[in-house]
Amino acid sequence: MQYSATQIAGLLNGTIEGNAEVTVSKLSKIEEGVPGSISFLSNPHYTQYLYGTQASVVIINRSFVLTAPVTTTLIRVESAENAFAQLLEMYNQVKLNKKGISKLSFISESATIGNDIYAGEFSFVGENATIGNNVKIYPQVYIGDNAVIGDNTTLFAGVKIYSETSIGKNCIIHSGTVIGSDGFRFTPENDNKKVAQIGNVVIEDDVEIGANCAIDRATLGSTILRKGVKFDNLIHIAHNVEVGENTYFAAHGVVAGSTRIGKNCMFSGQVGIIGHLNIADNTIITAQSGISKSITKKGEVYMGSPAFDAAKYRKAYIHFRNLDSLVQRVDKIEKLQKEIDLKEI
Amino acid sequence: MQYSATQIAGLLNGTIEGNAEVTVSKLSKIEEGVPGSISFLSNPHYTQYLYGTQASVVIINRSFVLTAPVTTTLIRVESAENAFAQLLEMYNQVKLNKKGISKLSFISESATIGNDIYAGEFSFVGENATIGNNVKIYPQVYIGDNAVIGDNTTLFAGVKIYSETSIGKNCIIHSGTVIGSDGFRFTPENDNKKVAQIGNVVIEDDVEIGANCAIDRATLGSTILRKGVKFDNLIHIAHNVEVGENTYFAAHGVVAGSTRIGKNCMFSGQVGIIGHLNIADNTIITAQSGISKSITKKGEVYMGSPAFDAAKYRKAYIHFRNLDSLVQRVDKIEKLQKEIDLKEI
Amino acid sequence: MQYSATQIAGLLNGTIEGNAEVTVSKLSKIEEGVPGSISFLSNPHYTQYLYGTQASVVIINRSFVLTAPVTTTLIRVESAENAFAQLLEMYNQVKLNKKGISKLSFISESATIGNDIYAGEFSFVGENATIGNNVKIYPQVYIGDNAVIGDNTTLFAGVKIYSETSIGKNCIIHSGTVIGSDGFRFTPENDNKKVAQIGNVVIEDDVEIGANCAIDRATLGSTILRKGVKFDNLIHIAHNVEVGENTYFAAHGVVAGSTRIGKNCMFSGQVGIIGHLNIADNTIITAQSGISKSITKKGEVYMGSPAFDAAKYRKAYIHFRNLDSLVQRVDKIEKLQKEIDLKEI
């Protein structure tokens, strides 16, 4: 599909500088722009590329001041970054607009199915499952018995949803992610017997979960991801954990059983949190850190394994890097002290 | 289904205090108990909830002494925790009692299939595979050629079992787990050629493996998980590793090639163990620790990366946290020494 | 199948010592050799096993000098290790030689399919996808719209390839791996809106990727794995990352967005690298290390979290282990200083 600069400016509430008739059919980075593509400039580090880009159209901030002539058509908007994100989304919506129930899918007769859903080949919907309107179930997805999937939610190819799981509206779950597997509970003192896991997982609206994550069902009750939670790839959430609204987990995060995490937290990659803790709202945890105690004060930054205050950690770590010189100083002090001691005698 | 307190007490060998006719249809936590549910009290921290719970029935220890009247029906047993676990298990057995071979599954003609198996939609059983009695193969499971699955084993949706893998009886493997993928061996000195991996994976009886784990086949011989091994989610086991009986791995554990791990070990989350080591029985490793040397003494606790004795690690780590004050002390000592030196002169 | 020592020597350009007529049907380790098997000796630590092995044939280096008589047939070659690897590969090629398009697969009419491909049961090929010659698509694989898979590439059971992904020739991707899922980008400052991810993943020739990895598509442009990259299991690669030729990642590696990694690097298990960095060619990173800054000098070894020069790290870590004794030394120095001070007064 081809769009003119005029059409795009209309969509984005932007104003045009240059040839309004030029058309584009794809998106590009400003430094890799080719004729027929549209790009954007937001990060000042890339300003240099504006003056030489081959992109036919570039979206820029309304406040941006040109310091040289440009050959490309400009569309000025309040925030070039947001406008471009909006464009990406529209592009994606066209691409991801799958519809229809494949004859090669399997949907239990007792399942309740909403309007306009997509159910791809070799996907499976179990007994008494409830699928909302506009839900997209890609090929090879599994939805267990009694599971509930809210309106407009997308489950990419191969997602596995165990029975009794409840997922809200407008969620996106990427391939390979498993929701509702058994929590890890055994009784080593009692012949390693398994503790049956009969709770479920509840995921509220607007949650996105990356690829190959594993979120365990509760032993009793629910493992809960609150509204707006965002997970990167390969994250493990144990039984009975609760993650607060709009909390972000970068890749390879691990949370052990029954921990409750507050709202608006930001956890970098490979963070681990042990079980039965409370983590305050707005907590930030740096990459590879391990949390071994509850965090009660909001908005703190933690680092290290076990983690403590990040500023203090960084200071201690500088000293750690210089430990060899500290040891040499202590060696020298002891030597001097011995000499003084000798003099004293 | 509804069960009366009398029926449940009968199942659990318990004695009733209160209304024996009350019926329940679901399980609940004592702090979240609702009428019609059965709960239990074991952890003394939750004692307070007993006196106000809405649960219709509560299982408690025979030895528990009431300090106030209760409105709920009590069932007294030797161990409330074990009795409740038993109840959970019975509940689960009803729920998970899937049977029958779906017409939408694919089972090779040369495969040998036991009695009373479940083979869900879009599951695949390869050539010459052997499936025991009562095996449950959920939808979209893959079982490669020549694989052997023992009696009463459950493979949840989407498990992938490569060819030649052997799995024992009474095992549970959760969704997304891959067993028998190639070990990671190449010859960087020889044009990065792949070393073909023609061994297999052997999993003994009573093993449970969580979601999205990856267990590589041996180069030659077998990668082995011994009887009763329990794995959490997202664990990586490299080629030719052997894990001893009843050893537990929490989530995101990593073991490199050819390492042998003893019995009854307990590894916390995100533990890493390098290749070609021997780890003694009953070893405990704390979260995020990295093992770089063999452990020969049984029952030790390790911490750190690289790990050493946990008690020593904790002591060193306290000093690490206080390094800034140590450096300041050394600064002060040096200053004083200079002053003394000056006086001496 | 049975092969005689003569046949195998012919394949490997080797020379026979002992009974050339003996036949073998399987491969074994020298310490576990059984009659009818062929083994090899390369690592000098295993030399002792040569003289007692039950293996019918053993491949050894041409230069190896016997110090006692052997009962097994020897095949001498330039490099026993390489010759055995060659044998493993031949064995594997026979085993993995699947052919044919299953009637239970789904291939879109608009897809372009090469010669001699294998498409297993319940595999899915999307619209306008291009599949090269001799490609092996195992059961339950998903290949999205417009994806391109090069000649001789193998996708094991359950691999998920999102739309627009491009994979080169002679690649191997193991089960559960997801290629092309959305990058992890949201705008926390703008109501947590998702940034649409419309780039793709490009994987060049001769790449092998282990099980349950997740490689995200670029926001714009491409996430790229260059020729000869080798990944172990459970690796996460974020959007817009580029990994240079022949770089190796051991299990559980994590790379955040937009980082560029050089050629011939070697990363041990559980390594993390933050976003927007440049990592020089031939960099080595030890297990569990975290890279927080770009590395500009080639061929360096890094350790720690945050990582620095490995030799310095090891030295500092020895001091860390001994911190308690250092603190005691400083205590003693202070005490002595006070005594001196008192004497002065």
Side-chain angles (χ1 to χ4, degrees), chain A residues 26-30 32 38-40 46 81-82 84-92 95-96 98 102 104 118 120-122 138-141 156-160 172-177 206 208-212 228-235 245-252 264 266-267 269-270 287-289 303-304 313 317 319-334 337 340-341 344-345, chain C residues 104-106 121-124 127 139-142 145-146 159-160 162-164 176-178 180-199 211-222 234-238 240 252-254 270-274 288-291 293 303-309 312-313 315-317 319-320 323 326 329-330 332-337 340 343-344:
Chain A
K26 56 185 170 184
L27 306 156
S28 65
K29 295 184 184 181
I30 194 161
E32 300 170 355
I38 178 167
S39 190
F40 81 114
Y46 290 82
E81 187 168 12
N82 291 348
F84 197 70
Q86 202 181 327
L87 219 58
L88 291 180
E89 205 176 317
M90 288 188 263
Y91 179 96
N92 236 350
K95 193 184 82 180
L96 299 175
K98 299 271 182 190
S102 166
L104 300 178
Y118 166 55
E121 286 69 21
F122 317 123
Y138 274 69
Q140 301 143 342
V141 164
F156 280 105
V159 164
K160 306 300 176 207
I172 297 173
I173 302 183
H174 283 282
S175 288
T177 282
D206 304 322
E208 180 158 346
I209 299 178
N212 282 340
V229 162
K230 309 292 182 197
F231 278 5
D232 202 346
N233 300 331
L234 292 155
I235 299 213
E245 283 184 25
N246 299 322
T247 280
Y248 282 49
F249 268 84
H252 275 254
N264 304 312
M266 292 265 190
F267 301 155
Q270 297 176 302
Q288 299 193 321
S289 295
M303 186 171 183
Y313 187 90
Y317 199 73
H319 293 313
F320 166 76
R321 289 182 65 143
N322 294 321
L323 266 180
D324 195 47
S325 108
L326 186 70
V327 170
Q328 284 175 27
R329 286 166 65 192
V330 172
D331 289 348
K332 198 174 158 188
I333 289 166
E334 283 177 340
Q337 235 179 17
I340 292 169
D341 236 35
E344 299 287 315
I345 296 161
Chain C
L104 300 177
S105 66
F106 176 84
E121 286 69 20
F122 318 123
S123 62
F124 173 96
E127 291 174 27
Q140 301 143 345
V141 163
Y142 168 83
D145 300 345
N146 309 309
V159 163
K160 306 300 178 207
Y162 277 60
S163 64
E164 275 82 45
T177 283
V178 174
S181 42
D182 282 354
F184 187 63
R185 282 195 63 188
F186 302 87
T187 52
E189 71 288 359
N190 181 22
D191 203 23
N192 293 308
K193 271 180 72 78
K194 177 181 176 68
V195 178
Q197 303 290 303
I198 67 148
N212 283 339
C213 294
I215 301 176
D216 285 348
R217 69 198 310 118
T219 309
L220 269 181
S222 301
L234 291 153
I235 299 211
H236 161 72
I237 301 293
N240 294 87
H252 276 256
V254 171
Q270 297 176 303
V271 159
I273 303 177
I274 70 162
Q288 298 192 323
S289 295
I291 305 297
K293 288 181 186 167
M303 186 170 183
S305 175
F308 53 95
D309 175 75
K312 285 184 189 154
Y313 187 91
K315 204 163 196 177
Y317 199 73
H319 294 312
F320 167 77
L323 266 180
L326 186 69
R329 286 168 65 192
V330 172
K332 200 174 156 188
I333 289 167
E334 284 178 337
K335 212 180 140 197
L336 264 168
Q337 233 178 18
I340 291 169
K343 283 193 229 168
E344 300 287 315

Side-chain angles (χ1 to χ4, degrees), chain A residues 104-106 121-124 127 139-142 145-146 159-160 162-164 176-178 181-190 192-199 211-217 219-222 234-238 240 252-254 270-274 288-291 293 303-309 312-313 315-317 319-320 323 326 329-330 332-337 340 343-344, chain B residues 26-30 32 38-40 46 81-82 84-92 95-96 98 102 104 118 120-122 138-141 156-160 172-177 206 208-212 228-234 245-252 264 266-267 269-270 287-289 303-304 313 317 320-334 337 340-341 344:
Chain A
L104 300 178
S105 66
F106 175 85
E121 286 69 21
F122 317 123
S123 62
F124 173 96
E127 290 175 27
Q140 301 143 342
V141 164
Y142 168 85
D145 300 343
N146 309 309
V159 164
K160 306 300 176 207
Y162 277 60
S163 64
E164 276 82 47
T177 282
V178 174
S181 41
D182 283 354
F184 187 63
R185 282 195 64 188
F186 301 87
T187 52
E189 70 287 359
N190 182 21
N192 293 309
K193 270 181 73 79
K194 177 180 177 67
V195 178
Q197 304 289 304
I198 67 149
N212 282 340
C213 293
I215 301 177
D216 285 348
R217 70 200 307 121
T219 308
L220 267 181
S222 301
L234 292 155
I235 299 213
H236 161 75
I237 301 293
N240 294 87
H252 275 254
V254 171
Q270 297 176 302
V271 160
I273 303 178
I274 70 162
Q288 299 193 321
S289 295
I291 305 297
K293 288 181 185 167
M303 186 171 183
S305 175
F308 53 95
D309 175 76
K312 286 185 187 153
Y313 187 90
K315 205 164 196 175
Y317 199 73
H319 293 313
F320 166 76
L323 266 180
L326 186 70
R329 286 166 65 192
V330 172
K332 198 174 158 188
I333 289 166
E334 283 177 340
K335 211 181 141 198
L336 264 169
Q337 235 179 17
I340 292 169
K343 285 193 226 166
E344 299 287 315
Chain B
K26 56 185 169 187
L27 306 156
S28 67
K29 293 183 183 181
I30 194 161
E32 299 170 355
I38 179 167
S39 191
F40 81 113
Y46 289 83
E81 187 168 12
N82 290 349
F84 197 70
Q86 203 181 328
L87 220 57
L88 291 180
E89 203 177 319
M90 288 189 261
Y91 179 97
N92 235 351
K95 193 184 81 178
L96 299 175
K98 300 271 181 191
S102 167
L104 301 177
Y118 166 53
E121 285 69 21
F122 318 124
Y138 273 69
Q140 300 142 345
V141 164
F156 280 105
V159 163
K160 306 300 176 208
I172 298 174
I173 301 182
H174 282 282
S175 288
T177 282
D206 304 321
E208 180 158 344
I209 299 177
N212 282 339
V229 162
K230 309 292 182 195
F231 278 4
D232 201 346
N233 300 330
L234 291 153
E245 283 186 26
N246 300 320
T247 280
Y248 281 50
F249 269 83
H252 276 254
N264 304 311
M266 291 268 191
F267 301 155
Q270 297 176 303
Q288 298 191 323
S289 295
M303 186 170 184
Y313 188 92
Y317 200 72
F320 167 75
R321 289 181 65 143
N322 294 322
L323 266 180
D324 195 47
S325 109
L326 186 69
V327 170
Q328 284 175 28
R329 285 166 66 191
V330 173
D331 289 347
K332 200 174 155 188
I333 289 167
E334 284 178 338
Q337 233 179 20
I340 291 168
D341 236 34
E344 299 287 314

Side-chain angles (χ1 to χ4, degrees), chain B residues 42-294:
Chain B
S42 170
N43 185 333
H45 287 118
Y46 289 83
T47 301
Q48 48 171 321
Y49 296 110
L50 175 64
Y51 303 103
T53 188
Q54 296 294 305
S56 301
V57 180
V58 176
I59 304 170
I60 60 169
N61 291 337
R62 215 177 283 283
S63 60
F64 184 86
V65 179
L66 288 174
T67 59
V70 295
T71 54
T72 183
T73 295
L74 299 177
I75 298 180
R76 288 191 180 267
V77 295
E78 221 49 59
S79 159
E81 187 168 12
N82 290 349
F84 197 70
Q86 203 181 328
L87 220 57
L88 291 180
E89 203 177 319
M90 288 189 261
Y91 179 97
N92 235 351
Q93 275 170 7
V94 172
K95 193 184 81 178
L96 299 175
N97 196 23
K98 300 271 181 191
K99 292 272 183 214
I101 298 177
S102 167
K103 286 176 187 166
L104 301 177
S105 67
F106 175 86
I107 297 181
S108 299
E109 284 184 21
S110 58
T112 305
I113 302 295
N115 299 319
D116 295 320
I117 77 157
Y118 166 53
E121 285 69 21
F122 318 124
S123 62
F124 173 97
V125 177
E127 290 174 28
N128 302 309
T130 304
I131 310 296
N133 298 322
N134 300 309
V135 167
K136 298 198 193 320
I137 301 167
Y138 273 69
Q140 300 142 345
V141 164
Y142 169 84
I143 299 174
D145 300 344
N146 309 309
V148 176
I149 314 291
D151 295 347
N152 307 313
T153 282
T154 296
L155 308 176
F156 280 105
V159 163
K160 306 300 176 208
I161 308 291
Y162 277 60
S163 64
E164 275 83 47
T165 300
S166 168
I167 297 180
K169 296 177 183 174
N170 309 311
C171 293
I172 298 174
I173 301 182
H174 282 282
S175 288
T177 282
V178 174
I179 315 268
S181 41
D182 282 354
F184 187 62
R185 282 194 66 187
F186 302 88
T187 51
E189 72 287 359
N190 181 22
D191 204 23
N192 294 307
K193 271 180 72 77
K194 177 181 176 67
V195 178
Q197 303 289 303
I198 67 148
N200 73 343
V201 176
V202 173
I203 295 178
E204 297 187 348
D205 298 345
D206 304 321
V207 169
E208 180 158 344
I209 299 177
N212 282 339
C213 294
I215 301 177
D216 286 348
R217 70 197 309 118
T219 308
L220 268 183
S222 300
T223 302
I224 303 174
L225 306 188
R226 296 280 178 209
K227 195 171 184 312
V229 162
K230 309 292 182 195
F231 278 4
D232 201 346
N233 300 330
L234 291 153
I235 299 211
H236 161 73
I237 300 292
H239 58 89
N240 294 87
V241 166
E242 180 177 335
V243 181
E245 283 186 26
N246 300 320
T247 280
Y248 281 50
F249 269 83
H252 276 254
V254 171
V255 184
S258 300
T259 283
R260 295 170 73 101
I261 294 169
K263 300 176 189 176
N264 304 311
C265 295
M266 291 268 191
F267 301 155
S268 293
Q270 297 176 303
V271 159
I273 303 177
I274 70 162
H276 299 276
L277 303 186
N278 284 290
I279 307 295
D281 295 349
N282 300 96
T283 297
I284 293 173
I285 308 177
T286 68
Q288 298 191 323
S289 295
I291 305 297
S292 60
K293 288 181 185 167
S294 286

